[in-house]
Amino acid sequence: MRREFVPTADDVLCERCGYLLNGLPPEGACPECGLPVAESTSASPRQPTAWESGRDRAVGRFQATAIAVFRNPRQFFRTMTAHGDTARSARFGLISLLPAMLFNIKAVLMHCAILHILYGPPATAVWPILLVAVPLAVVAGWAGMYYAVVRLTTFEARYWGMRLPRDVVRRAVHYDAVHASVASLLPWAVTLVYLCFLIANETAAGKWQQTYLYTLSLAVIASAVYLFAMYATAMRSLMYANR
Ligand SMILES: [Zn+2]
């Protein structure tokens, strides 16, 4: 349901249903869903992520956080603070995105190699250009997607009366980047398997080229759906956060 106004940072929202709890006693319960008020305020489970806290080495903090995001994204985004150091979360996002970029670059280049084997070498020396252009395009693609997602989400949230300011969205997207690396594995695996097949037995693999193209398209769609589902989980789990 669309809310007429966007709650301010000072408004207290029910963590479960988003009802305005302003002025209610801490020992009371949400009039809409019955969740104790304290669970949205003083007893809220939200705390800074493992990446942002503790004295462990960066590798350990990164690992703990990445595993938590991957294993149970809903739990992760429901127990992390919505506000915090975006420069720090951005570093986490960049590190998480590196494997995704590498797998994307490898998948596109392997796909080009497959086309090269199937349809013969390109007329001009395309490979040196591809080796530079593909990595640049992948990096630009992710950067563009990041800006589009942050802008569109904050715009949409304002329209629907949801409290998702830019920095909250940015922090969520930074941690959500773990899923980009997981999602990029599937298209990479499909191109790798078919390329190996093609190298091992060109004639037999040639007959499967249409199946390969369909499988690759399905893999890309499945990855995109997975990424969108994870992003939506993150936003839903943060839109009623009070801290
Ligand atoms: Zn409620």
Side-chain angles (χ1 to χ4, degrees):
M1 192 188 72
R2 189 183 169 192
R3 212 198 284 260
E4 293 302 312
F5 62 96
V6 180
T8 69
D10 296 329
D11 286 326
V12 182
L13 301 179
C14 170
E15 273 272 357
R16 190 190 283 158
C17 70
Y19 192 86
L20 260 179
L21 301 176
N22 292 352
L24 285 176
E27 61 280 4
C30 168
E32 187 75 11
C33 74
L35 187 78
V37 171
E39 284 192 32
S40 302
T41 54
S42 56
S44 160
R46 294 197 182 272
Q47 52 182 323
T49 63
W51 171 250
E52 291 166 17
S53 52
R55 293 209 193 108
D56 299 346
R57 289 176 56 220
V59 180
R61 284 185 285 119
F62 179 84
Q63 216 170 17
T65 310
I67 290 171
V69 178
F70 174 65
R71 259 201 204 148
N72 195 339
R74 192 166 172 270
Q75 168 82 1
F76 178 84
F77 289 108
R78 277 190 175 247
T79 51
M80 74 171 248
T81 44
H83 303 274
D85 188 347
T86 46
R88 228 170 154 176
S89 60
R91 279 198 289 280
F92 180 90
L94 261 182
I95 301 169
S96 313
L97 205 55
L98 282 178
M101 290 179 178
L102 275 176
F103 282 119
N104 290 158
I105 292 166
K106 282 194 278 187
V108 176
L109 288 176
M110 283 194 294
H111 182 70
C112 294
I114 288 167
L115 298 180
H116 183 137
I117 297 171
L118 283 176
Y119 304 112
T124 47
V126 163
W127 274 102
I129 302 169
L130 280 178
L131 288 173
V132 178
V134 170
L136 285 178
V138 167
V139 173
W142 278 109
M145 183 139 105
Y146 171 76
Y147 283 106
V149 164
V150 172
R151 285 198 80 110
L152 282 174
T153 307
T154 41
F155 176 80
E156 183 100 333
R158 255 201 315 273
Y159 174 81
W160 289 101
M162 289 169 193
R163 188 172 61 186
L164 280 173
R166 211 168 78 101
D167 277 359
V168 171
V169 175
R170 283 181 61 210
R171 242 165 77 79
V173 174
H174 294 157
Y175 287 110
D176 197 36
V178 169
H179 296 118
S181 288
V182 179
S184 63
L185 284 174
L186 196 57
W188 166 78
V190 172
T191 44
L192 179 66
V193 168
Y194 189 70
L195 182 61
C196 291
F197 186 21
L198 205 55
I199 290 168
N201 190 337
E202 202 182 320
T203 329
K207 293 181 188 140
W208 286 81
Q209 53 177 290
Q210 208 156 23
T211 312
Y212 158 70
L213 286 176
Y214 283 135
T215 315
L216 183 61
S217 310
L218 276 178
V220 171
I221 293 168
S223 303
V225 169
Y226 170 76
L227 266 185
F228 183 79
M230 292 302 114
Y231 149 84
T233 301
M235 295 310 152
R236 266 203 303 270
S237 308
L238 280 161
M239 63 188 187
Y240 302 144
N242 291 307
R243 64 176 185 215

